[in-house]
Amino acid sequence: RGSTFWFTALLRADADPPRPAAMTEPEPELEPELIVPDPVLAPEPEPERELEPEMEPELQSEPEPEPEPESEPEPEPEFEPALRHGSLLLAEDDPVNRRVTMAMLQRSGYRVEVATDGLEAVRAVAARSFDAVLMDCRMPRMDGVQATIQIRAAEGRRRRTPIIALSASTSAEDREIAIAAGMDDYLAKPVTSDELLTTVDRWIFASAGNPVDTR
């Protein structure tokens, strides 16, 4: 028969058993590191500004047309300077009153002829035509009342020259006497330039056939 052999195998106790080859895993990708700026050195972020809404341009309205000024009434023809180019007779015996009255009339453009009493006034009106007569009521040889009566008698209906009384008297009785004799108006002395010219203008205007206010 065969022989039996006994063998003793020596094993190492600290020997690590063989490991199967491990599969290597891929290394994970590293995320980029965020660099945080130093708070001291980093500039502060500017605050966000609110966006203002765009304003639409204002439409300029056209200015309203100004109202047309009201037309002023035309002045009465009796006060037009053109009426002051007439011829006047001034019957006045006082040299001072004659000189002052004559100057006021001539400055306004009137031509003035002078009579020193009532008789000269009657003769002057008979010799030529005047646009108006300024008659002093009290004069030598013939006063203004008698002179007016004769002038009216000589004129008849063919014409009527405006005669304006000049008197130092302010009594209503003297005024009535002058008007009754044929005078058209009555001015008490001393008379102002405006009063004199306004009265003369009015009666020259009336002599052209226009109505006149005798108040």
Short mmCIF file of all heavy atoms in Angstrom, two decimals, residues 44-87:
data_model
loop_
_atom_site.label_atom_id
_atom_site.label_comp_id
_atom_site.label_asym_id
_atom_site.label_seq_id
_atom_site.Cartn_x
_atom_site.Cartn_y
_atom_site.Cartn_z
N GLU A 44 -18.37 101.15 -0.29
CA GLU A 44 -19.76 100.84 0.00
C GLU A 44 -20.58 100.96 -1.27
O GLU A 44 -20.37 101.86 -2.08
CB GLU A 44 -20.31 101.81 1.03
CG GLU A 44 -19.63 101.68 2.39
CD GLU A 44 -20.24 102.64 3.38
OE1 GLU A 44 -21.15 103.40 2.96
OE2 GLU A 44 -19.82 102.64 4.55
N PRO A 45 -21.50 100.07 -1.47
CA PRO A 45 -22.32 100.16 -2.69
C PRO A 45 -23.23 101.37 -2.65
O PRO A 45 -23.74 101.75 -1.60
CB PRO A 45 -23.13 98.85 -2.66
CG PRO A 45 -23.17 98.46 -1.23
CD PRO A 45 -21.86 98.92 -0.64
N GLU A 46 -23.35 102.03 -3.78
CA GLU A 46 -24.22 103.20 -3.86
C GLU A 46 -25.67 102.76 -3.73
O GLU A 46 -26.07 101.73 -4.29
CB GLU A 46 -24.03 103.92 -5.19
CG GLU A 46 -22.64 104.51 -5.34
CD GLU A 46 -22.52 105.28 -6.64
OE1 GLU A 46 -23.54 105.34 -7.36
OE2 GLU A 46 -21.44 105.82 -6.90
N PRO A 47 -26.46 103.56 -3.01
CA PRO A 47 -27.88 103.20 -2.89
C PRO A 47 -28.58 103.32 -4.23
O PRO A 47 -28.27 104.19 -5.04
CB PRO A 47 -28.43 104.21 -1.89
CG PRO A 47 -27.50 105.36 -1.98
CD PRO A 47 -26.13 104.79 -2.28
N GLU A 48 -29.49 102.46 -4.43
CA GLU A 48 -30.22 102.48 -5.68
C GLU A 48 -31.13 103.70 -5.74
O GLU A 48 -31.80 104.02 -4.76
CB GLU A 48 -31.05 101.20 -5.82
CG GLU A 48 -30.21 99.94 -5.93
CD GLU A 48 -31.08 98.73 -6.16
OE1 GLU A 48 -32.31 98.92 -6.19
OE2 GLU A 48 -30.54 97.63 -6.32
N ARG A 49 -31.10 104.37 -6.85
CA ARG A 49 -31.93 105.55 -7.02
C ARG A 49 -33.25 105.15 -7.66
O ARG A 49 -33.27 104.35 -8.59
CB ARG A 49 -31.23 106.58 -7.90
CG ARG A 49 -29.95 107.13 -7.28
CD ARG A 49 -29.33 108.14 -8.21
NE ARG A 49 -28.10 108.69 -7.67
CZ ARG A 49 -27.32 109.55 -8.32
NH1 ARG A 49 -27.68 109.97 -9.53
NH2 ARG A 49 -26.22 110.00 -7.75
N GLU A 50 -34.25 105.80 -7.13
CA GLU A 50 -35.56 105.53 -7.72
C GLU A 50 -35.68 106.29 -9.02
O GLU A 50 -35.34 107.46 -9.12
CB GLU A 50 -36.68 105.94 -6.77
CG GLU A 50 -36.70 105.13 -5.48
CD GLU A 50 -37.86 105.55 -4.60
OE1 GLU A 50 -38.60 106.47 -5.04
OE2 GLU A 50 -38.03 104.97 -3.54
N LEU A 51 -36.15 105.62 -10.00
CA LEU A 51 -36.30 106.26 -11.30
C LEU A 51 -37.52 107.17 -11.29
O LEU A 51 -38.62 106.76 -10.95
CB LEU A 51 -36.46 105.19 -12.39
CG LEU A 51 -35.24 104.26 -12.59
CD1 LEU A 51 -35.57 103.23 -13.66
CD2 LEU A 51 -34.01 105.06 -12.98
N GLU A 52 -37.23 108.43 -11.56
CA GLU A 52 -38.34 109.38 -11.60
C GLU A 52 -39.11 109.19 -12.89
O GLU A 52 -38.53 108.98 -13.95
CB GLU A 52 -37.81 110.81 -11.54
CG GLU A 52 -37.08 111.11 -10.24
CD GLU A 52 -36.60 112.54 -10.22
OE1 GLU A 52 -36.81 113.23 -11.24
OE2 GLU A 52 -36.03 112.95 -9.20
N PRO A 53 -40.40 109.28 -12.80
CA PRO A 53 -41.18 109.12 -14.04
C PRO A 53 -40.93 110.28 -14.99
O PRO A 53 -40.78 111.42 -14.56
CB PRO A 53 -42.64 109.13 -13.55
CG PRO A 53 -42.59 109.84 -12.25
CD PRO A 53 -41.25 109.52 -11.65
N GLU A 54 -40.83 109.98 -16.23
CA GLU A 54 -40.59 111.01 -17.21
C GLU A 54 -41.80 111.93 -17.29
O GLU A 54 -42.93 111.48 -17.41
CB GLU A 54 -40.31 110.39 -18.58
CG GLU A 54 -39.02 109.58 -18.62
CD GLU A 54 -38.75 109.07 -20.01
OE1 GLU A 54 -39.59 109.36 -20.89
OE2 GLU A 54 -37.72 108.41 -20.21
N MET A 55 -41.49 113.23 -17.18
CA MET A 55 -42.57 114.21 -17.23
C MET A 55 -42.80 114.59 -18.68
O MET A 55 -41.88 114.90 -19.42
CB MET A 55 -42.18 115.45 -16.43
CG MET A 55 -41.88 115.15 -14.96
SD MET A 55 -43.33 114.57 -14.07
CE MET A 55 -44.32 116.05 -14.10
N GLU A 56 -44.04 114.54 -19.04
CA GLU A 56 -44.39 114.95 -20.39
C GLU A 56 -44.31 116.46 -20.49
O GLU A 56 -44.69 117.18 -19.57
CB GLU A 56 -45.80 114.50 -20.74
CG GLU A 56 -45.95 112.99 -20.79
CD GLU A 56 -47.34 112.61 -21.21
OE1 GLU A 56 -48.15 113.53 -21.42
OE2 GLU A 56 -47.61 111.41 -21.34
N PRO A 57 -43.73 116.95 -21.52
CA PRO A 57 -43.63 118.42 -21.63
C PRO A 57 -45.01 119.06 -21.64
O PRO A 57 -45.93 118.59 -22.30
CB PRO A 57 -42.91 118.63 -22.97
CG PRO A 57 -43.17 117.37 -23.74
CD PRO A 57 -43.27 116.27 -22.71
N GLU A 58 -45.11 120.13 -20.84
CA GLU A 58 -46.39 120.83 -20.76
C GLU A 58 -46.64 121.58 -22.06
O GLU A 58 -45.76 122.22 -22.61
CB GLU A 58 -46.39 121.81 -19.59
CG GLU A 58 -46.26 121.11 -18.24
CD GLU A 58 -46.34 122.12 -17.11
OE1 GLU A 58 -46.49 123.32 -17.44
OE2 GLU A 58 -46.26 121.73 -15.95
N LEU A 59 -47.82 121.43 -22.51
CA LEU A 59 -48.20 122.15 -23.72
C LEU A 59 -48.54 123.58 -23.35
O LEU A 59 -49.40 123.83 -22.52
CB LEU A 59 -49.40 121.47 -24.39
CG LEU A 59 -49.15 120.04 -24.89
CD1 LEU A 59 -50.44 119.48 -25.46
CD2 LEU A 59 -48.05 120.01 -25.93
N GLN A 60 -47.82 124.50 -23.92
CA GLN A 60 -48.08 125.91 -23.63
C GLN A 60 -49.33 126.35 -24.37
O GLN A 60 -49.40 126.27 -25.58
CB GLN A 60 -46.89 126.77 -24.05
CG GLN A 60 -45.62 126.47 -23.25
CD GLN A 60 -44.49 127.38 -23.68
OE1 GLN A 60 -44.65 128.14 -24.62
NE2 GLN A 60 -43.39 127.31 -22.97
N SER A 61 -50.26 126.75 -23.57
CA SER A 61 -51.51 127.22 -24.18
C SER A 61 -51.31 128.59 -24.78
O SER A 61 -50.57 129.42 -24.26
CB SER A 61 -52.62 127.28 -23.12
OG SER A 61 -52.25 128.14 -22.08
N GLU A 62 -51.94 128.82 -25.89
CA GLU A 62 -51.83 130.12 -26.54
C GLU A 62 -52.49 131.18 -25.68
O GLU A 62 -53.56 130.96 -25.11
CB GLU A 62 -52.49 130.07 -27.91
CG GLU A 62 -51.82 129.10 -28.87
CD GLU A 62 -52.48 129.14 -30.23
OE1 GLU A 62 -53.47 129.90 -30.36
OE2 GLU A 62 -52.01 128.45 -31.13
N PRO A 63 -51.82 132.34 -25.53
CA PRO A 63 -52.43 133.39 -24.70
C PRO A 63 -53.75 133.86 -25.29
O PRO A 63 -53.91 133.97 -26.50
CB PRO A 63 -51.37 134.51 -24.75
CG PRO A 63 -50.59 134.24 -25.99
CD PRO A 63 -50.58 132.74 -26.16
N GLU A 64 -54.68 134.10 -24.39
CA GLU A 64 -55.99 134.57 -24.85
C GLU A 64 -55.85 135.98 -25.41
O GLU A 64 -55.14 136.80 -24.85
CB GLU A 64 -56.98 134.56 -23.69
CG GLU A 64 -57.24 133.16 -23.15
CD GLU A 64 -58.27 133.21 -22.03
OE1 GLU A 64 -58.73 134.32 -21.72
OE2 GLU A 64 -58.60 132.15 -21.50
N PRO A 65 -56.52 136.24 -26.49
CA PRO A 65 -56.41 137.60 -27.04
C PRO A 65 -57.00 138.63 -26.09
O PRO A 65 -58.03 138.40 -25.46
CB PRO A 65 -57.24 137.51 -28.35
CG PRO A 65 -58.16 136.34 -28.13
CD PRO A 65 -57.41 135.38 -27.24
N GLU A 66 -56.28 139.74 -25.95
CA GLU A 66 -56.75 140.80 -25.06
C GLU A 66 -58.00 141.44 -25.67
O GLU A 66 -58.09 141.62 -26.87
CB GLU A 66 -55.67 141.85 -24.87
CG GLU A 66 -54.42 141.30 -24.18
CD GLU A 66 -53.39 142.38 -23.98
OE1 GLU A 66 -53.67 143.53 -24.42
OE2 GLU A 66 -52.34 142.10 -23.40
N PRO A 67 -58.94 141.76 -24.79
CA PRO A 67 -60.15 142.42 -25.33
C PRO A 67 -59.82 143.77 -25.91
O PRO A 67 -58.98 144.51 -25.40
CB PRO A 67 -61.05 142.54 -24.08
CG PRO A 67 -60.11 142.49 -22.93
CD PRO A 67 -58.97 141.59 -23.34
N GLU A 68 -60.44 144.06 -27.00
CA GLU A 68 -60.20 145.34 -27.64
C GLU A 68 -60.75 146.47 -26.77
O GLU A 68 -61.84 146.36 -26.23
CB GLU A 68 -60.87 145.38 -29.02
CG GLU A 68 -60.30 144.36 -29.99
CD GLU A 68 -60.96 144.49 -31.35
OE1 GLU A 68 -61.86 145.35 -31.48
OE2 GLU A 68 -60.57 143.73 -32.27
N PRO A 69 -59.93 147.51 -26.58
CA PRO A 69 -60.43 148.61 -25.76
C PRO A 69 -61.65 149.27 -26.38
O PRO A 69 -61.78 149.36 -27.60
CB PRO A 69 -59.23 149.59 -25.72
CG PRO A 69 -58.44 149.24 -26.95
CD PRO A 69 -58.63 147.76 -27.18
N GLU A 70 -62.54 149.65 -25.51
CA GLU A 70 -63.75 150.29 -26.01
C GLU A 70 -63.39 151.63 -26.65
O GLU A 70 -62.58 152.39 -26.12
CB GLU A 70 -64.73 150.51 -24.86
CG GLU A 70 -65.23 149.20 -24.24
CD GLU A 70 -66.23 149.47 -23.14
OE1 GLU A 70 -66.49 150.67 -22.88
OE2 GLU A 70 -66.74 148.51 -22.55
N SER A 71 -63.97 151.85 -27.78
CA SER A 71 -63.68 153.09 -28.47
C SER A 71 -64.29 154.25 -27.71
O SER A 71 -65.44 154.20 -27.28
CB SER A 71 -64.24 153.04 -29.90
OG SER A 71 -65.64 152.80 -29.85
N GLU A 72 -63.47 155.27 -27.53
CA GLU A 72 -63.95 156.45 -26.82
C GLU A 72 -64.88 157.24 -27.73
O GLU A 72 -64.67 157.31 -28.95
CB GLU A 72 -62.77 157.31 -26.39
CG GLU A 72 -61.83 156.60 -25.40
CD GLU A 72 -60.71 157.50 -24.98
OE1 GLU A 72 -60.64 158.65 -25.51
OE2 GLU A 72 -59.90 157.09 -24.14
N PRO A 73 -65.89 157.83 -27.14
CA PRO A 73 -66.79 158.64 -27.98
C PRO A 73 -66.05 159.83 -28.55
O PRO A 73 -65.18 160.41 -27.92
CB PRO A 73 -67.89 159.09 -26.98
CG PRO A 73 -67.24 158.96 -25.64
CD PRO A 73 -66.29 157.82 -25.73
N GLU A 74 -66.38 160.15 -29.77
CA GLU A 74 -65.74 161.29 -30.42
C GLU A 74 -66.16 162.58 -29.73
O GLU A 74 -67.30 162.72 -29.29
CB GLU A 74 -66.13 161.34 -31.89
CG GLU A 74 -65.64 160.14 -32.68
CD GLU A 74 -66.00 160.27 -34.14
OE1 GLU A 74 -66.65 161.29 -34.49
OE2 GLU A 74 -65.63 159.38 -34.92
N PRO A 75 -65.22 163.50 -29.58
CA PRO A 75 -65.57 164.76 -28.93
C PRO A 75 -66.61 165.53 -29.74
O PRO A 75 -66.71 165.39 -30.96
CB PRO A 75 -64.24 165.52 -28.86
CG PRO A 75 -63.41 164.91 -29.95
CD PRO A 75 -63.83 163.47 -30.03
N GLU A 76 -67.37 166.31 -29.04
CA GLU A 76 -68.39 167.13 -29.71
C GLU A 76 -67.71 168.10 -30.66
O GLU A 76 -66.67 168.66 -30.36
CB GLU A 76 -69.19 167.91 -28.66
CG GLU A 76 -70.02 167.02 -27.74
CD GLU A 76 -71.15 166.35 -28.50
OE1 GLU A 76 -71.57 166.91 -29.53
OE2 GLU A 76 -71.60 165.29 -28.06
N PRO A 77 -68.29 168.29 -31.81
CA PRO A 77 -67.67 169.22 -32.76
C PRO A 77 -67.50 170.62 -32.22
O PRO A 77 -66.62 171.34 -32.66
CB PRO A 77 -68.66 169.20 -33.95
CG PRO A 77 -69.39 167.90 -33.81
CD PRO A 77 -69.46 167.62 -32.34
N GLU A 78 -68.34 171.01 -31.24
CA GLU A 78 -68.25 172.38 -30.75
C GLU A 78 -66.94 172.66 -30.03
O GLU A 78 -66.56 173.80 -29.81
CB GLU A 78 -69.42 172.68 -29.80
CG GLU A 78 -69.49 171.75 -28.61
CD GLU A 78 -70.76 171.94 -27.82
OE1 GLU A 78 -70.79 172.86 -26.96
OE2 GLU A 78 -71.72 171.21 -28.06
N PHE A 79 -66.20 171.59 -29.63
CA PHE A 79 -64.95 171.80 -28.93
C PHE A 79 -63.75 171.51 -29.82
O PHE A 79 -62.63 171.42 -29.34
CB PHE A 79 -64.90 170.93 -27.68
CG PHE A 79 -65.99 171.26 -26.70
CD1 PHE A 79 -67.07 170.41 -26.54
CD2 PHE A 79 -65.95 172.42 -25.96
CE1 PHE A 79 -68.08 170.71 -25.64
CE2 PHE A 79 -66.96 172.72 -25.06
CZ PHE A 79 -68.03 171.88 -24.90
N GLU A 80 -63.97 171.30 -31.11
CA GLU A 80 -62.87 171.02 -32.01
C GLU A 80 -62.06 172.30 -32.22
O GLU A 80 -62.61 173.38 -32.41
CB GLU A 80 -63.40 170.53 -33.36
CG GLU A 80 -63.97 169.12 -33.32
CD GLU A 80 -62.87 168.10 -33.15
OE1 GLU A 80 -61.71 168.42 -33.48
OE2 GLU A 80 -63.17 166.99 -32.70
N PRO A 81 -60.69 172.17 -32.21
CA PRO A 81 -59.87 173.36 -32.45
C PRO A 81 -60.13 174.00 -33.80
O PRO A 81 -59.90 175.19 -33.97
CB PRO A 81 -58.44 172.81 -32.37
CG PRO A 81 -58.54 171.55 -31.57
CD PRO A 81 -59.90 171.01 -31.87
N ALA A 82 -60.62 173.22 -34.80
CA ALA A 82 -60.87 173.79 -36.11
C ALA A 82 -61.91 174.89 -36.06
O ALA A 82 -61.93 175.78 -36.91
CB ALA A 82 -61.31 172.69 -37.08
N LEU A 83 -62.79 174.87 -35.07
CA LEU A 83 -63.82 175.90 -34.94
C LEU A 83 -63.26 177.21 -34.41
O LEU A 83 -63.96 178.18 -34.31
CB LEU A 83 -64.93 175.40 -34.01
CG LEU A 83 -65.73 174.20 -34.52
CD1 LEU A 83 -66.72 173.74 -33.46
CD2 LEU A 83 -66.45 174.53 -35.80
N ARG A 84 -61.99 177.19 -34.02
CA ARG A 84 -61.39 178.40 -33.46
C ARG A 84 -60.57 179.17 -34.49
O ARG A 84 -59.52 179.71 -34.18
CB ARG A 84 -60.54 178.04 -32.24
CG ARG A 84 -61.36 177.54 -31.08
CD ARG A 84 -60.52 177.14 -29.91
NE ARG A 84 -61.35 176.71 -28.78
CZ ARG A 84 -60.88 176.14 -27.68
NH1 ARG A 84 -59.59 175.93 -27.56
NH2 ARG A 84 -61.68 175.79 -26.71
N HIS A 85 -61.04 179.15 -35.69
CA HIS A 85 -60.38 179.93 -36.73
C HIS A 85 -61.37 180.92 -37.35
O HIS A 85 -61.28 181.23 -38.53
CB HIS A 85 -59.80 179.01 -37.81
CG HIS A 85 -58.72 178.12 -37.30
ND1 HIS A 85 -57.47 178.59 -36.97
CD2 HIS A 85 -58.69 176.80 -37.03
CE1 HIS A 85 -56.71 177.59 -36.54
NE2 HIS A 85 -57.44 176.48 -36.56
N GLY A 86 -62.29 181.37 -36.50
CA GLY A 86 -63.29 182.32 -36.98
C GLY A 86 -62.89 183.75 -36.66
O GLY A 86 -61.82 184.03 -36.12
N SER A 87 -63.80 184.64 -37.01
CA SER A 87 -63.59 186.07 -36.80
C SER A 87 -64.57 186.58 -35.75
O SER A 87 -65.79 186.33 -35.86
CB SER A 87 -63.79 186.82 -38.12
OG SER A 87 -63.64 188.21 -37.94
#
